[in-house]
Amino acid sequence: MEKMRAVMKLEPGPGAVLGELPLPKPGPGEVLVKTEMMAICGTDVHFYEWNKWAETINVRWPMVLGHEFTGTVVEIGPGVRGVQIGDTVSGETHIPCGNCYHCLNGEQHICSNLITFGMQTPGCFAEYAVLPEVCAVKVDKGIDPAVRANFEPLGVAVHAVDKAGVGGNTVAIIGCGPIGLFSAAVARALGAARIFASDISAYRLDLARKIGVDYTLNPKETDLTEFVRAHTPFGVGVDVLLETSGNADAFMAGFQYLRKGGRVVAVGLASKPLQLEVGRDIAWKEATIIGIHGREMFKTWQQMEKLIAGGRLDITPLLTHTFQLKDYKEALETALSGQAGKVLLAP
Protein backbone atom coordinates (compact mmCIF):
# COMPACT_ATOMS: atom_id res chain seq x y z
CA MET A 1 0.00 0.00 0.00
CA GLU A 2 1.38 3.40 -1.01
CA LYS A 3 2.16 5.70 1.92
CA MET A 4 2.55 9.44 2.52
CA ARG A 5 4.15 11.52 5.26
CA ALA A 6 1.86 13.61 7.48
CA VAL A 7 2.09 15.80 10.60
CA MET A 8 -0.61 14.54 12.93
CA LYS A 9 -1.87 14.10 16.45
CA LEU A 10 -2.69 10.57 17.49
CA GLU A 11 -4.55 11.51 20.66
CA PRO A 12 -5.47 14.57 22.76
CA GLY A 13 -2.53 16.33 24.41
CA PRO A 14 0.44 18.53 23.57
CA GLY A 15 2.69 17.90 20.59
CA ALA A 16 2.45 16.25 17.19
CA VAL A 17 4.29 13.57 15.25
CA LEU A 18 5.55 13.15 11.70
CA GLY A 19 4.42 9.72 10.59
CA GLU A 20 3.11 7.74 7.66
CA LEU A 21 -0.46 7.16 6.57
CA PRO A 22 -1.93 5.28 3.65
CA LEU A 23 -2.20 7.47 0.55
CA PRO A 24 -5.86 8.58 0.60
CA LYS A 25 -8.26 7.90 -2.25
CA PRO A 26 -10.87 10.49 -3.27
CA GLY A 27 -14.45 9.37 -2.80
CA PRO A 28 -17.53 10.58 -4.68
CA GLY A 29 -17.36 14.34 -5.19
CA GLU A 30 -13.79 14.53 -3.84
CA VAL A 31 -10.35 15.30 -5.27
CA LEU A 32 -6.84 14.26 -4.30
CA VAL A 33 -4.32 17.11 -4.21
CA LYS A 34 -0.53 16.81 -4.15
CA THR A 35 0.48 19.62 -1.81
CA GLU A 36 2.92 22.25 -3.04
CA MET A 37 2.99 24.67 -0.09
CA MET A 38 1.22 24.91 3.27
CA ALA A 39 0.80 27.69 5.84
CA ILE A 40 0.49 27.54 9.63
CA CYS A 41 -2.61 29.06 11.23
CA GLY A 42 -3.12 30.06 14.84
CA THR A 43 -5.53 27.14 15.21
CA ASP A 44 -2.74 24.73 14.27
CA VAL A 45 -0.69 26.19 17.12
CA HIS A 46 -3.67 25.77 19.48
CA PHE A 47 -3.96 22.10 18.51
CA TYR A 48 -0.18 21.62 18.80
CA GLU A 49 -0.24 23.07 22.33
CA TRP A 50 -3.60 21.40 23.03
CA ASN A 51 -4.97 24.35 25.00
CA LYS A 52 -8.46 24.83 26.43
CA TRP A 53 -9.83 26.02 23.08
CA ALA A 54 -8.54 22.89 21.32
CA GLU A 55 -10.20 20.69 23.94
CA THR A 56 -13.61 22.05 22.92
CA ILE A 57 -13.29 21.13 19.23
CA ASN A 58 -14.65 17.89 17.84
CA VAL A 59 -11.80 16.48 15.72
CA ARG A 60 -11.25 13.34 13.70
CA TRP A 61 -8.50 11.02 14.96
CA PRO A 62 -5.78 10.60 13.94
CA MET A 63 -5.85 14.33 13.32
CA VAL A 64 -3.76 15.50 10.36
CA LEU A 65 -3.00 19.14 11.13
CA GLY A 66 -3.33 22.08 8.74
CA HIS A 67 -5.96 23.65 6.52
CA GLU A 68 -4.13 26.37 4.55
CA PHE A 69 -2.47 25.10 1.37
CA THR A 70 -2.13 24.98 -2.38
CA GLY A 71 -1.30 22.15 -4.74
CA THR A 72 -2.13 20.21 -7.90
CA VAL A 73 -5.08 17.88 -8.42
CA VAL A 74 -3.72 14.40 -9.21
CA GLU A 75 -6.89 12.28 -8.97
CA ILE A 76 -10.64 12.91 -8.99
CA GLY A 77 -13.44 10.85 -7.52
CA PRO A 78 -16.73 9.81 -9.12
CA GLY A 79 -19.07 12.68 -9.94
CA VAL A 80 -16.42 15.44 -10.01
CA ARG A 81 -17.14 17.76 -12.94
CA GLY A 82 -15.69 21.21 -12.28
CA VAL A 83 -12.12 20.26 -11.35
CA GLN A 84 -9.71 18.33 -13.55
CA ILE A 85 -6.46 16.48 -13.02
CA GLY A 86 -3.62 19.00 -13.36
CA ASP A 87 -5.60 21.97 -12.01
CA THR A 88 -3.85 24.22 -9.49
CA VAL A 89 -6.06 24.73 -6.45
CA SER A 90 -6.12 26.28 -3.00
CA GLY A 91 -8.21 24.85 -0.21
CA GLU A 92 -11.40 26.39 1.15
CA THR A 93 -11.83 25.32 4.77
CA HIS A 94 -15.62 25.48 5.04
CA ILE A 95 -17.38 22.31 3.91
CA PRO A 96 -21.06 23.24 3.44
CA CYS A 97 -23.96 20.81 3.25
CA GLY A 98 -25.48 22.52 0.20
CA ASN A 99 -29.06 21.97 1.37
CA CYS A 100 -29.74 24.13 4.44
CA TYR A 101 -31.41 27.57 4.50
CA HIS A 102 -28.06 29.38 4.45
CA CYS A 103 -26.56 27.33 1.62
CA LEU A 104 -29.69 27.80 -0.49
CA ASN A 105 -29.50 31.55 0.08
CA GLY A 106 -25.88 32.07 -0.92
CA GLU A 107 -24.41 31.85 2.59
CA GLN A 108 -22.50 28.56 2.38
CA HIS A 109 -19.75 29.94 4.63
CA ILE A 110 -22.20 29.99 7.56
CA CYS A 111 -23.93 26.73 6.67
CA SER A 112 -26.12 25.33 9.45
CA ASN A 113 -24.38 21.95 9.14
CA LEU A 114 -20.87 23.26 8.47
CA ILE A 115 -17.89 20.99 9.02
CA THR A 116 -14.28 22.08 8.76
CA PHE A 117 -11.43 20.74 6.66
CA GLY A 118 -8.51 19.93 8.95
CA MET A 119 -10.71 19.42 12.00
CA GLN A 120 -13.59 17.09 11.17
CA THR A 121 -11.61 15.81 8.16
CA PRO A 122 -7.88 15.09 7.75
CA GLY A 123 -5.92 18.28 7.02
CA CYS A 124 -3.14 19.30 4.65
CA PHE A 125 0.16 19.05 6.56
CA ALA A 126 0.96 16.05 4.41
CA GLU A 127 2.24 15.14 0.97
CA TYR A 128 -1.35 14.68 -0.25
CA ALA A 129 -4.79 15.82 0.90
CA VAL A 130 -8.35 14.87 -0.01
CA LEU A 131 -11.07 17.51 0.00
CA PRO A 132 -14.53 17.99 -1.52
CA GLU A 133 -14.64 19.40 -5.05
CA VAL A 134 -16.50 22.48 -3.76
CA CYS A 135 -13.51 23.31 -1.55
CA ALA A 136 -10.86 22.87 -4.25
CA VAL A 137 -10.79 26.40 -5.61
CA LYS A 138 -9.00 26.74 -8.94
CA VAL A 139 -6.37 29.51 -8.84
CA ASP A 140 -3.85 30.98 -11.25
CA LYS A 141 -0.74 28.78 -11.34
CA GLY A 142 1.32 31.88 -12.11
CA ILE A 143 0.77 33.28 -8.62
CA ASP A 144 3.59 32.51 -6.17
CA PRO A 145 2.72 29.23 -4.37
CA ALA A 146 3.58 30.85 -1.03
CA VAL A 147 0.87 33.42 -1.73
CA ARG A 148 -1.61 30.81 -3.01
CA ALA A 149 -1.10 28.79 0.18
CA ASN A 150 -2.34 31.82 2.13
CA PHE A 151 -5.53 32.42 0.16
CA GLU A 152 -7.64 30.89 2.94
CA PRO A 153 -6.48 33.27 5.73
CA LEU A 154 -6.08 36.18 3.32
CA GLY A 155 -9.71 35.61 2.38
CA VAL A 156 -10.74 36.28 5.97
CA ALA A 157 -9.06 39.68 5.74
CA VAL A 158 -10.58 40.46 2.34
CA HIS A 159 -14.05 39.50 3.61
CA ALA A 160 -13.63 41.64 6.76
CA VAL A 161 -12.24 44.71 5.03
CA ASP A 162 -14.81 44.50 2.23
CA LYS A 163 -17.66 44.35 4.77
CA ALA A 164 -16.10 47.27 6.67
CA GLY A 165 -16.25 49.63 3.71
CA VAL A 166 -12.83 51.19 4.25
CA GLY A 167 -12.50 53.19 1.02
CA GLY A 168 -11.75 56.82 1.90
CA ASN A 169 -12.13 56.08 5.62
CA THR A 170 -9.89 55.97 8.68
CA VAL A 171 -9.27 52.46 10.01
CA ALA A 172 -7.87 51.09 13.28
CA ILE A 173 -6.72 47.47 13.39
CA ILE A 174 -6.31 45.83 16.78
CA GLY A 175 -3.68 43.08 16.62
CA CYS A 176 -0.87 42.59 14.10
CA GLY A 177 -0.93 38.83 13.85
CA PRO A 178 -1.23 37.41 10.32
CA ILE A 179 -4.94 38.23 9.93
CA GLY A 180 -4.44 41.76 11.26
CA LEU A 181 -1.47 42.33 8.95
CA PHE A 182 -3.34 40.89 5.99
CA SER A 183 -6.26 43.18 6.86
CA ALA A 184 -3.96 46.20 6.88
CA ALA A 185 -2.59 45.28 3.45
CA VAL A 186 -6.11 44.81 2.07
CA ALA A 187 -7.31 48.08 3.64
CA ARG A 188 -4.47 49.88 1.88
CA ALA A 189 -5.35 48.15 -1.41
CA LEU A 190 -9.02 49.12 -1.08
CA GLY A 191 -8.27 52.77 -0.46
CA ALA A 192 -8.31 53.38 3.28
CA ALA A 193 -7.44 57.02 3.97
CA ARG A 194 -5.42 56.41 7.12
CA ILE A 195 -4.54 53.17 8.92
CA PHE A 196 -3.69 52.74 12.61
CA ALA A 197 -2.44 49.35 13.83
CA SER A 198 -1.77 48.32 17.43
CA ASP A 199 0.14 45.43 18.97
CA ILE A 200 2.57 44.85 21.84
CA SER A 201 5.10 43.10 19.57
CA ALA A 202 7.80 45.36 18.11
CA TYR A 203 8.50 42.70 15.47
CA ARG A 204 4.92 42.71 14.23
CA LEU A 205 4.63 46.48 14.33
CA ASP A 206 7.71 46.60 12.10
CA LEU A 207 5.96 44.29 9.63
CA ALA A 208 2.95 46.61 9.70
CA ARG A 209 5.17 49.53 8.72
CA LYS A 210 6.60 47.52 5.83
CA ILE A 211 3.16 47.15 4.26
CA GLY A 212 2.28 50.82 4.56
CA VAL A 213 0.44 51.26 7.87
CA ASP A 214 0.45 54.97 8.72
CA TYR A 215 0.64 54.71 12.51
CA THR A 216 1.92 51.69 14.45
CA LEU A 217 1.11 51.85 18.15
CA ASN A 218 2.04 49.85 21.24
CA PRO A 219 -0.77 50.23 23.81
CA LYS A 220 1.76 49.73 26.62
CA GLU A 221 3.57 52.85 25.47
CA THR A 222 0.85 55.03 23.93
CA ASP A 223 -2.66 56.06 24.97
CA LEU A 224 -4.51 54.78 21.91
CA THR A 225 -7.67 56.82 22.47
CA GLU A 226 -5.75 60.06 22.84
CA PHE A 227 -3.46 59.36 19.88
CA VAL A 228 -6.16 58.17 17.47
CA ARG A 229 -8.47 61.06 18.25
CA ALA A 230 -5.58 63.51 17.79
CA HIS A 231 -4.80 62.03 14.37
CA THR A 232 -8.30 61.72 12.89
CA PRO A 233 -10.20 64.59 11.23
CA PHE A 234 -12.07 66.75 13.73
CA GLY A 235 -10.82 64.53 16.57
CA VAL A 236 -13.84 62.21 16.34
CA GLY A 237 -12.02 58.85 16.13
CA VAL A 238 -11.88 56.25 13.39
CA ASP A 239 -14.61 55.33 10.96
CA VAL A 240 -13.80 51.62 11.12
CA LEU A 241 -12.47 49.42 13.92
CA LEU A 242 -11.22 45.93 12.99
CA GLU A 243 -10.58 43.58 15.90
CA THR A 244 -8.25 40.71 14.99
CA SER A 245 -6.34 40.08 18.23
CA GLY A 246 -8.81 38.11 20.33
CA ASN A 247 -7.85 40.32 23.28
CA ALA A 248 -11.14 41.20 24.97
CA ASP A 249 -9.75 44.19 26.89
CA ALA A 250 -8.22 45.69 23.74
CA PHE A 251 -11.50 45.14 21.89
CA MET A 252 -13.54 46.91 24.56
CA ALA A 253 -11.06 49.80 24.69
CA GLY A 254 -11.39 50.23 20.93
CA PHE A 255 -14.94 51.55 21.30
CA GLN A 256 -13.43 54.61 22.98
CA TYR A 257 -11.75 55.73 19.76
CA LEU A 258 -14.51 54.63 17.36
CA ARG A 259 -16.39 57.65 16.08
CA LYS A 260 -20.16 58.01 16.38
CA GLY A 261 -21.78 56.20 13.48
CA GLY A 262 -18.66 54.05 13.03
CA ARG A 263 -18.41 50.38 12.14
CA VAL A 264 -16.86 47.60 14.22
CA VAL A 265 -15.75 44.40 12.48
CA ALA A 266 -15.20 41.45 14.82
CA VAL A 267 -12.73 38.93 13.41
CA GLY A 268 -10.73 37.66 16.40
CA LEU A 269 -12.23 35.28 18.95
CA ALA A 270 -12.31 37.12 22.27
CA SER A 271 -10.38 35.51 25.11
CA LYS A 272 -13.24 36.22 27.53
CA PRO A 273 -16.77 37.67 27.40
CA LEU A 274 -16.98 41.36 26.50
CA GLN A 275 -18.46 43.84 28.97
CA LEU A 276 -19.72 46.78 26.95
CA GLU A 277 -21.88 49.72 27.96
CA VAL A 278 -24.63 49.24 25.39
CA GLY A 279 -25.80 52.83 25.64
CA ARG A 280 -22.39 54.54 25.56
CA ASP A 281 -20.57 52.14 23.22
CA ILE A 282 -23.29 51.08 20.78
CA ALA A 283 -26.76 52.66 20.96
CA TRP A 284 -25.87 56.32 21.53
CA LYS A 285 -23.05 56.03 19.03
CA GLU A 286 -25.25 54.29 16.46
CA ALA A 287 -22.35 51.91 16.02
CA THR A 288 -22.68 49.02 13.57
CA ILE A 289 -21.14 45.71 14.64
CA ILE A 290 -20.32 43.13 11.96
CA GLY A 291 -19.18 39.58 12.63
CA ILE A 292 -16.86 37.76 10.23
CA HIS A 293 -16.64 34.01 9.77
CA GLY A 294 -14.19 32.88 7.14
CA ARG A 295 -14.74 33.83 3.52
CA GLU A 296 -17.79 34.24 1.33
CA MET A 297 -17.97 31.34 -1.11
CA PHE A 298 -16.82 32.33 -3.65
CA LYS A 299 -17.04 36.08 -3.97
CA THR A 300 -14.10 36.58 -1.61
CA TRP A 301 -11.83 34.24 -3.59
CA GLN A 302 -12.51 36.14 -6.80
CA GLN A 303 -11.89 39.49 -5.12
CA MET A 304 -8.50 38.57 -3.68
CA GLU A 305 -7.24 36.90 -6.85
CA LYS A 306 -8.17 40.02 -8.85
CA LEU A 307 -6.45 42.28 -6.31
CA ILE A 308 -3.26 40.19 -6.48
CA ALA A 309 -3.30 39.71 -10.24
CA GLY A 310 -3.91 43.44 -10.70
CA GLY A 311 -0.89 44.33 -8.58
CA ARG A 312 -3.01 46.11 -5.97
CA LEU A 313 -2.26 43.68 -3.14
CA ASP A 314 1.14 42.28 -2.13
CA ILE A 315 1.42 40.09 0.97
CA THR A 316 4.92 38.75 0.33
CA PRO A 317 6.59 40.97 3.01
CA LEU A 318 4.41 39.15 5.56
CA LEU A 319 5.53 35.64 4.54
CA THR A 320 8.60 35.54 6.74
CA HIS A 321 9.63 31.91 7.31
CA THR A 322 9.61 28.67 5.30
CA PHE A 323 10.41 25.19 6.68
CA GLN A 324 10.40 21.67 5.29
CA LEU A 325 7.67 19.33 6.51
CA LYS A 326 10.26 17.32 8.46
CA ASP A 327 11.05 20.47 10.47
CA TYR A 328 7.42 20.95 11.53
CA LYS A 329 8.28 21.32 15.23
CA GLU A 330 10.60 24.25 14.57
CA ALA A 331 7.99 25.75 12.27
CA LEU A 332 5.21 25.52 14.87
CA GLU A 333 7.47 26.87 17.61
CA THR A 334 8.41 29.79 15.35
CA ALA A 335 4.74 30.57 14.77
CA LEU A 336 4.16 30.31 18.51
CA SER A 337 7.04 32.69 19.32
CA GLY A 338 5.38 35.81 17.93
CA GLN A 339 8.63 36.64 16.13
CA ALA A 340 7.23 35.76 12.74
CA GLY A 341 4.69 36.84 10.20
CA LYS A 342 3.24 33.93 8.28
CA VAL A 343 5.12 30.63 8.59
CA LEU A 344 5.11 28.22 5.63
CA LEU A 345 5.77 24.50 5.20
CA ALA A 346 7.01 22.84 2.02
CA PRO A 347 6.47 19.09 1.60
Side-chain angles (χ1 to χ4, degrees), residues 81-164:
R81 296 289 181 267
V83 178
Q84 299 179 344
I85 292 173
D87 283 344
T88 299
V89 300
S90 291
E92 165 61 63
T93 302
H94 301 316
I95 303 176
C97 73
N99 298 309
C100 71
Y101 175 90
H102 299 289
C103 286
L104 296 176
N105 284 278
E107 299 174 336
Q108 299 99 314
H109 65 297
I110 49 173
C111 165
S112 297
N113 305 303
L114 193 70
I115 63 173
T116 305
F117 172 73
M119 293 185 191
Q120 286 81 48
T121 72
C124 65
F125 286 179
E127 293 173 302
Y128 295 86
V130 165
L131 71 165
E133 176 187 6
V134 69
C135 297
V137 186
K138 290 189 284 188
V139 294
D140 184 352
K141 186 177 182 178
I143 296 173
D144 184 340
V147 173
R148 284 189 266 117
N150 279 280
F151 268 19
E152 196 267 6
L154 177 60
V156 177
V158 172
H159 183 194
V161 175
D162 180 54
K163 285 283 183 70

Side-chain angles (χ1 to χ4, degrees), residues 266-279:
V267 183
L269 302 178
S271 53
K272 63 182 180 181
L274 301 184
Q275 294 181 325
L276 296 171
E277 291 284 348
V278 174

